[in-house]
Amino acid sequence: MADRGREVPVASSPIPASGPSTEQSSRLSWVDVAKAGAIILVVVFHVAGAAVAFLLPGADDVWLRAWKALSTFLIPVRMPLFFLMSGVLAASAVQRPWPTLFRSRYANLLWPYLLWSVAFSVVFGCAVSPENWWPTTATSLATIVQGGDAYWFLPSLVVFFTLARVFRSVSPALLFVAFLAWLVIPLTQPLLTEFLPDGLATNIGRWCSFALWFLLGCFGRTLVNRVAALPWFPLLPLAAGSYALMAYFYYVADNRDLPWTIGLNVCGLLSAVQLAVVLSASPRIAAVSGYIARRTLPIYLLHPLIVYSIVALSQVAGNPLRLPTDSSVLNFLFVPVLTAALVWASMVLYDGALRGPLRVLFVPPGGRRSARPHDDSAARPKPV
């Protein structure tokens, strides 16, 4: 998942007693739509990749190829969108005193990161090497202190937020350095791999690839909001059409030059932001997206563990789980149905855990019982 293009709170103004206007609501809820869309795309990526490989080995019909191609084509927008929205939601927090940030920006992320990384390492080892699980598990455990593997997004948020908080007074210079890092990392990544441990080299590459988008959301929130406020026509069709054309030349024609990556990131984010604004006009979509956006953390943590737990349990039983590979209907429905099921199951398990003693799996000890870990969606960016 160390791909350069791939693998979403700020204090808002008080809402008037009469309620927000339609324009204000759309400008607030689009962030939730974008964040929910980003986490769903992350799940699709893992389902179309790891889940298909384990549960449908050898299956290669037109439907699975289409799902894999779609997931691949969205690599340049999926994680940049997630980090861009995370930066937008962190814009006010970087101005707060350090003592007020310990729990919300550090403990609430690093506590579940450590717990779930250990759990995932054990399950992963049992799933991929059931007869010799410890070496695989040990290798996975070692990556935890190097920025992680399965859950690398969480320590990346910590790194980006810390940079933003420390260098907030020179944010233009920080953005420029992040831009240079984003520009040169494809050339320097082989050197990192040669001289550093694999996990650390991979995560430094990820940080150089994605810091720009988090910092742009954090320090360029006004710009992001203005882009969101632009009329969707003709910007959305032009950006989406350009993205599709470049994706064809980049992935299908295998012309993987640096300028294509730059264009894919920019056009992909423009398309995603504009599409999120359009979709947020639907009250039903806005409501569902808000519900999902407040639970991106448990979805992110639970969905890979569920998949690998199913595989590991079937390995322990001595009868590895394999689904039919000659069913076109199954192959067509596998990715969307399993994605929806994983998102739903993750949210249900999380909501249940918060009501009892298992909340410690998501919330570090000592917090308020009503608090949700890193609930960025509770606060909204101000409309422009």
Side-chain angles (χ1 to χ4, degrees):
M1 291 173 56
D3 194 306
R4 147 178 192 76
R6 61 186 162 176
E7 94 179 177
V8 254
V10 300
S12 61
S13 301
I15 297 176
S18 58
S21 67
T22 301
E23 182 181 11
Q24 286 177 322
S25 294
S26 65
R27 290 186 182 183
L28 299 177
S29 61
W30 75 265
V31 176
D32 280 346
V33 174
K35 195 177 177 186
I39 192 62
I40 290 172
L41 290 180
V42 169
V43 180
V44 168
F45 179 74
H46 293 149
V47 170
V52 168
F54 277 110
L55 302 178
L56 292 169
D60 190 33
D61 71 353
V62 63
W63 298 117
L64 285 180
R65 288 196 297 271
W67 282 116
K68 291 177 182 177
L70 177 63
S71 181
T72 299
F73 291 169
L74 291 175
I75 281 174
V77 66
R78 177 172 47 245
M79 296 311 296
L81 178 63
F82 215 159
F83 281 112
L84 181 70
M85 293 301 100
S86 297
V88 167
L89 294 168
S92 290
V94 297
Q95 306 299 332
R96 297 172 190 162
W98 284 109
T100 66
L101 298 171
F102 173 75
R103 187 172 188 90
S104 64
R105 294 289 161 175
Y106 292 93
N108 281 352
L109 290 174
L110 294 178
W111 173 263
Y113 165 70
L114 293 173
L115 289 182
W116 291 89
S117 292
V118 172
F120 180 85
S121 296
V122 175
V123 172
F124 179 75
C126 294
V128 302
S129 304
E131 297 180 356
N132 192 25
W133 66 275
W134 173 245
T136 302
T137 297
T139 300
S140 182
L141 289 171
T143 65
I144 295 176
V145 297
Q146 299 171 15
D149 187 10
Y151 301 126
W152 62 271
F153 178 75
L154 300 181
S156 297
L157 284 179
V158 171
V159 170
F160 297 161
F161 181 83
T162 302
L163 287 173
R165 177 62 179 78
V166 171
F167 297 105
R168 69 191 188 282
S169 61
V170 289
S171 57
L174 182 60
L175 278 166
F176 181 69
V177 171
F179 173 75
L180 292 179
W182 172 69
L183 205 60
V184 303
I185 189 59
L187 304 176
T188 58
Q189 185 74 63
L191 295 176
L192 295 175
T193 303
E194 184 175 351
F195 293 105
L196 296 175
D198 289 344
L200 181 59
T202 296
N203 281 305
I204 290 177
R206 287 166 172 158
W207 298 338
C208 291
S209 297
F210 300 124
L212 174 65
W213 308 117
F214 179 91
L215 296 173
L216 182 62
C218 187
F219 297 119
R221 184 182 65 182
T222 300
L223 173 63
V224 175
N225 277 333
R226 286 177 178 171
V227 170
L230 292 173
W232 72 269
F233 187 85
L235 180 57
L236 178 56
L238 285 175
S242 299
Y243 185 87
L245 185 63
M246 285 186 286
Y248 172 82
F249 281 106
Y250 187 78
Y251 291 109
V252 179
D254 199 25
N255 184 13
R256 306 199 175 202
D257 298 326
L258 183 60
W260 291 113
T261 306
I262 295 173
L264 283 166
N265 284 156
V266 173
C267 289
L269 287 174
L270 284 173
S271 302
V273 168
Q274 283 282 299
L275 182 60
V277 174
V278 171
L279 292 176
S280 68
S282 165
R284 184 178 297 273
I285 292 177
V288 173
S289 297
Y291 186 84
I292 294 174
R294 289 188 292 274
R295 292 160 176 80
T296 53
L297 177 65
I299 295 170
Y300 179 72
L301 292 171
L302 282 167
H303 83 269
L305 192 67
I306 293 173
V307 171
Y308 281 102
S309 293
I310 294 172
V311 175
L313 289 173
S314 69
Q315 299 275 27
V316 170
N319 186 24
L321 180 61
R322 299 290 185 266
L323 300 177
T325 61
D326 57 353
S327 171
S328 295
V329 174
L330 175 61
N331 293 340
F332 171 68
L333 295 175
F334 182 81
V335 173
V337 170
L338 184 56
T339 296
L342 289 171
V343 170
W344 174 81
S346 298
M347 294 189 298
V348 169
L349 291 172
Y350 170 71
D351 288 345
L354 285 193
R355 291 192 291 266
L358 291 181
R359 75 189 310 270
V360 74
L361 296 177
F362 299 97
V363 183
R368 294 181 292 108
R369 293 201 57 83
S370 60
R372 288 179 180 269
H374 199 62
D375 185 5
D376 281 339
S377 299
R380 309 298 182 95
K382 299 176 183 177
V384 295

